[in-house]
Amino acid sequence: MAARDLIRELRRAIGAAAVRDDPASTTVYARDASHQVSGRPACVALPATVDDLGRVVAVCARDGRPFVVRGGGTGLAGGALPSGGAVVIATSRLTRLGEVDAEWRHVRVEPGVFNAAVSRKAAAYGLCFAPDPSSQAAATIGGNIATNAGGPHCLKVGVTSQHVRRVEWFDPEGRRWASGRGCALDRGPDLRGLFCGSEGTLGVICNADLELCPLPESTATLLAEFPRLRDAAAAVIDLARARIEPQACEIIDQTMLEAVAEAFAFPLATDVEAVMICELAGAAGAVDDAAARAGHALRAAGARRVEVGRDTASRERLWQCRKQAFGAVGRLSPSYISQDVVVPLEALPELVGDIEAIRRDQRVTIATAWHAGDGNLHPGIHFDDRDPDAAARARQVADAISLRAIALGGSCTGEHGIGLEKRHLIGRQLDRTALRLMQGIKDLCDPAGICNPGKVLPPPGDGTAAQPVPVRVDFRWESLTVTAPADVPLAELQSEAMTRGYWIPVGAAYRGRVAAPGLGGDLTVGAMIDAGTTGPSLLGSLRPTDAILALWAESGDGEVFRAGTATLKDVAGYDLVRLLVGSGGMLAKPLAASLRLRPLPAAVGIWSWPDVPPFFPSACRREFMGVLRRHEHPALAVRSPHLDGSLLWVLAAGYGRGGDLDRLQADLETWSEDHGLARPHGGRDAFAAVGRASLLAGLPTWAVAAPDWTLLTRRETLPDWPRPRRLIWQAQPEMLWMPEAPAEEPVGWIADNVFRDGKLQWPPPPPPSVPYRLLAGLKRLFDPHLRLPCPGWLQAILAEAAR
Amino acid sequence: MIGPTDTTRLDQLLRRCVHCGLCLPHCATYLASGDETLSPRGRLLLLGEVLAGRLPPDAPAVAQAFDRCLGCLACSAVCPSGISAELLACAREIGRRADRWRRFALANLLDRRPVLHIVRRVTAWARAVLARLGGVEWRARLAAAPRPVAGLARLVGAVPTSPHRDRDLVSLLDHLTGGVLADAAPRSTVRVAPAAPAAGLRLVWFRGCADAALLPGTAARLRELLAACGCALVDPPGQVCCGAIASHSGRPARKRRLRARNLAALRAPLAACDCLVVAAAGCGLELSDDSAAFGDKVRDAAVVLDQILPAALGSLSLRIAVHEPCHLRHGLGAAAALRRVLARIDGVEVLEAAEVDVCCGSAGVYALRHRELSRAMGRRKAAMLAATGCDLVVTTSPGCLGQIADGLAFVAPSLPIVPLSDLLWYAWFHGARVVPRKLLLDT
């Protein structure tokens, strides 16, 4: 179709006023926040409803016309730039924000909603949306999902993919799909995880179910001045070593400090090489303690002055300076290239030294802001674009820094995405097989190649050689990662980590006599990857998919590839890690993995009630659940039928010097009194005790290890607990486990029989809103000869298609 | 016209735009339309293309994008590079040439007080007729009527209005606050007057046009309040419009004439007085920009009231949402005075609306020139204010008053909006009815 006909078709579909082809629109929508230029769009469509969005995609599909979706246009990698003659689909009118479900901590949003608007609405319920990139006031949720956005406060709570439960999208033919049920743990190939970070190249997101986090009770922000930049970089590692988990840890270098101080008239010191902003949050007592320890650690690392701020106004002002820094640097020079490298923490000082050397040699201005706690730097290379030499030199410097980061085991992009800007670098970071698989995924989702073409993936054939698979356990304490082959039991890794005061936060594990899932959680790393869970997790704060940073795997035909990078953040290419974790080994066989380490909780509280009624009336149950959810660290309840009643246990992790567990104990005692129950027995113990049989000895044997486990996740309203039965309830993310394979699904719950006789079972078939054809295509892509295990329903589809 | 030296300077300023997009969520035209050409970032991109000669300035879409800029200054308050105000003024100048004839007509009429007096009378009559036709919610109901009637209803609905007679204002606010007074005990029939006012402030009263002509009741009450606070008010004859409309319409000759007439009328009295008190923020900004003429003696009425009102201003139980006019917030930087003044009334709870810094879309004659867009902005603002759950909205600009009243009529018809000075007048003269027990014992 000629452009004129296309525009007429679009106007017929969504109304004349919503389609613009005038020179003003095509000029403005050809640019985004990056300094890249691409092509001129044929027209701009501004659908006002999700249905209109689908119609636009369908029209483009019929025409075979490339399109690109644009939210706030705040992306820094050029991901929203149209190719010549493409259609720009703006989501700026899709701004409906659903009601916040405070109990389930969930909200449904359209893709054009501002990130900050979600947090503003959720604040009334004491909740927030954790990913907070600097652009959050203008960036949209659709864009956040597309780039798997991070932000300073993602250090503790994770990036966007950890806070999205479900996405709905239009495929590049205009049909609408969903990624799954949106449960706390949706096993199977994780399409939701695949979409996060896919940069708008696999489909057009039209709705998202977001998970909200509770706002911390108390916050302290430390401002530390470092005369030497290298000391600041090393201080990040020192904080990790001191087992301090900041909510955010940012560094601003001297060049950027000068620009920021001038722009905002904020009294930041400009005579030091770096300023660090470190934010600690949690319960009041714990925060004071952590702030004192952090201040001490930073001074020991070389800080000239450490100031602790507690009042909201000054904290907000400080964060405004940090977040608007990338705008303030416009004063330094007309143009700049903003980078987004990430390296393992232990390599930070070296990278900093390298950047310094490059800066001196090339005589360029570099202003850097860092999400230091993640090892993620944003060096901005400034140049005058009127000088063609300067532009080329800046590009060379940028590439040199990215390649250095990759050589140090890092990634060329931690949160901005590959977009247009780094397509030539991704082939230096990922291996050929991984890139081939990613191209295969792209071809499956978008056979006509019209969905944001020319982004992310390099030309075919690019990529490094296959990298050696780790064969030994390798703890990197300073980088907070551990790499291990798949056949290593999780318990072994946990017990070694615990000796140093760390653990893998998926839940404790210990070597019991029976190697079976349960609170003991004795699985191998590979089994955990296939299952996507360890069974009921003993006080883990992360699901396995959020704890695995990199994965070496073997496809069905024996090709080995690496997914992800062993850094704390990475968005280079599609998220194959999340796709594979929980897929039951149907796509690839895990060979080795890199996992996160976090400081071990200081203490565990364990309380028991010898005799409770066989079931709780709903008000009583809701209060109980509320008590456990108010506790800011993982907590769980175990209930076991006993004679005419039940036995009840509560276990909870504590990080502050006991303060938070004391409060939980008081709350549990109040709850018991209010509902006529006896006071609980029990108290505190050091957390390392969970690794020993003694702590778990008080619990029933079935809870520690059982051959059968069924996971119940609820649909949206709050149903009754099944009764009277043995069960384990995890407070956050909410999951209910039963040590049996029930014949029927309890009312209001979705049942997933995860383990039977100790063997991993397939999850139930996905609902029809999930694209079965895509799942079948993924299976054939990763395992063309069907050598790997396959669930029955998928086998049937593959057989059908073959016929 | 933009000369070559200007172009270099503008080019330099434009280069400081890093296209970060932080201006977008504060731009009322972008929020209401979703169209990035109607955003500061978009307008600056287009300005760059026009200055470089790659786009003709009179291309319809380009001129429209420039022309639809409100000049509210919300973007410059958040721009990290601090550049947008001057550049957008230049863009508006370019866009102006696109709409010359309508601008001419409006600019020549709407800044004349006699015309506005007629408008007020006609509108009041028309309102009565339309209310009879469509009932109390005539604005919403008649929006669906055939074109001429609907158009008339819209036009009439957009004209700012406030209670003309004191007793109408009193009964409106009594109705809102009445419940509390009935509960409070003990009641006394003696009215406890506020503490002795600060004596001796001499003020020159600036009549303005919209204020004097469209809201005469409010103007009279404000003067009464200022006098009750111990100020001596001088109202020199011969004052005319401040010239904002003429100056924003690109009619510098008219603006010069108006300025000369105002100077002749006000200069001498102002020399003998402390300051020139201006009720509407837009006029205040226009006059204070002209430091050669009036010096820095121009004061917004809210700022003056903040200075002279006693610390306790009676007792009312009300939940109030405040709309800060752009010229007050971004231009004069005096938004805090509004809040401080309200804080003096015991029992008033100020609720914060979302998008507090986003323009309501009134912007002088903008509402008449870009009706659809202005209406969308007005409704959006009204929705944000209504969402706070307040009992009353207050503002200090007649333009904002009319615009938001129009929006509220569709979004939250039972929510009233009054000028701030009317609320203060009420609090002063009618609010101090409850006598605290302690004071009773002391007398």
Side-chain angles (χ1 to χ4, degrees), chain B residues 211-298:
Chain B
D211 268 339
L214 295 176
L215 308 176
T218 301
R221 284 188 285 271
L222 177 55
R223 291 175 60 157
E224 196 183 337
L225 181 60
L226 289 169
C229 287
C231 297
L233 231 60
V234 173
D235 181 12
Q239 298 178 43
V240 288
C241 171
C242 64
I245 292 180
S247 131
H248 293 163
S249 307
R251 301 189 47 73
R254 179 163 176 77
K255 158 79 186 180
R256 275 195 299 274
R257 279 199 300 276
L258 293 170
R259 179 176 179 272
R261 284 170 67 182
N262 273 329
L263 269 177
L266 295 170
R267 182 170 259 164
L270 195 53
C273 291
D274 293 308
C275 60
L276 179 67
V277 61
V278 184
C283 307
L285 187 61
E286 184 72 23
L287 291 170
S288 65
D289 272 349
D290 192 357
S291 53
F294 302 104
D296 52 7
K297 280 191 166 182
V298 178

Side-chain angles (χ1 to χ4, degrees), chain A residues 195-476:
Chain A
F195 262 84
C196 292
S198 61
E199 303 191 42
T201 57
L202 300 180
V204 176
I205 293 168
C206 59
N207 240 312
D209 286 5
L210 303 178
E211 187 166 310
L212 301 168
C213 287
L215 285 167
E217 180 184 302
S218 170
T219 315
T221 310
L222 282 80
L223 186 64
E225 293 169 9
F226 282 88
R228 295 194 326 148
L229 184 56
R230 285 197 82 128
D231 290 342
V236 176
I237 301 172
D238 289 341
L239 284 176
R241 226 183 263 134
R243 280 177 261 304
I244 297 168
E245 263 196 294
Q247 196 86 345
C249 181
E250 305 281 297
I251 291 179
I252 309 176
D253 78 350
Q254 193 167 22
T255 319
M256 189 166 271
L257 276 173
E258 283 163 1
V260 167
E262 189 197 316
F264 302 113
F266 193 84
L268 283 171
T270 48
D271 60 337
V272 287
E273 283 186 10
V275 161
M276 178 189 280
I277 304 172
C278 180
E279 188 158 280
L280 302 156
V287 166
D288 289 330
D289 175 62
R293 285 190 301 132
H296 191 71
L298 293 174
R299 269 185 220 99
R304 171 176 90 179
R305 190 173 83 94
V306 178
E307 193 183 289
V308 181
R310 287 287 216 141
D311 82 280
T312 319
S314 60
R315 272 189 52 235
E316 274 175 12
R317 198 92 175 77
L318 183 61
W319 278 113
Q320 190 196 30
C321 286
R322 165 63 189 92
K323 288 192 172 180
Q324 299 198 335
F326 77 107
V329 292
R331 293 154 193 266
L332 292 176
S333 82
S335 299
Y336 67 98
I337 300 176
S338 171
Q339 286 195 284
D340 179 36
V341 291
V342 59
V343 289
L345 291 179
E346 67 197 36
L348 262 183
E350 198 180 331
L351 181 65
V352 165
D354 290 342
I355 294 177
E356 260 305 284
I358 293 175
R359 191 179 69 77
R360 273 195 313 267
D361 290 341
Q362 300 285 332
R363 289 189 306 281
V364 285
T365 307
I366 302 183
T368 312
W370 317 12
H371 299 307
D374 288 316
N376 185 201
L377 281 78
H378 296 304
I381 299 133
H382 289 258
F383 62 96
D384 187 340
D385 64 345
R386 287 169 293 197
D387 174 4
D389 263 349
R393 222 174 51 219
R395 173 50 55 199
Q396 269 173 14
V397 167
D399 285 353
I401 295 176
S402 290
L403 290 171
R404 191 76 200 110
I406 294 172
L408 288 171
S411 171
C412 62
T413 176
E415 54 184 16
H416 294 174
I418 296 285
L420 200 55
E421 189 186 43
K422 303 185 200 64
R423 278 182 79 208
H424 64 291
L425 290 171
I426 186 176
R428 312 284 287 267
Q429 180 178 337
L430 300 178
D431 61 62
R432 229 165 269 133
T433 311
L435 282 171
R436 184 182 62 74
L437 289 167
M438 290 183 192
Q439 184 66 48
I441 294 173
K442 167 69 171 171
D443 293 336
L444 269 175
C445 293
D446 180 25
I450 57 170
C451 189
N452 203 5
K455 307 281 169 53
V456 185
L457 295 175
D462 237 24
T464 67
Q467 297 169 9
V469 177
V471 292
R472 268 195 319 274
V473 172
D474 183 14
F475 278 93
R476 296 297 178 102

Side-chain angles (χ1 to χ4, degrees), chain A residues 90-112:
Chain A
T91 59
S92 51
R93 290 179 177 170
L94 300 172
T95 53
R96 279 160 215 92
L97 184 50
E99 285 312 308
V100 172
D101 182 336
E103 195 157 12
W104 211 38
R105 296 189 184 163
H106 153 280
V107 65
R108 175 167 293 186
V109 302
E110 288 189 348

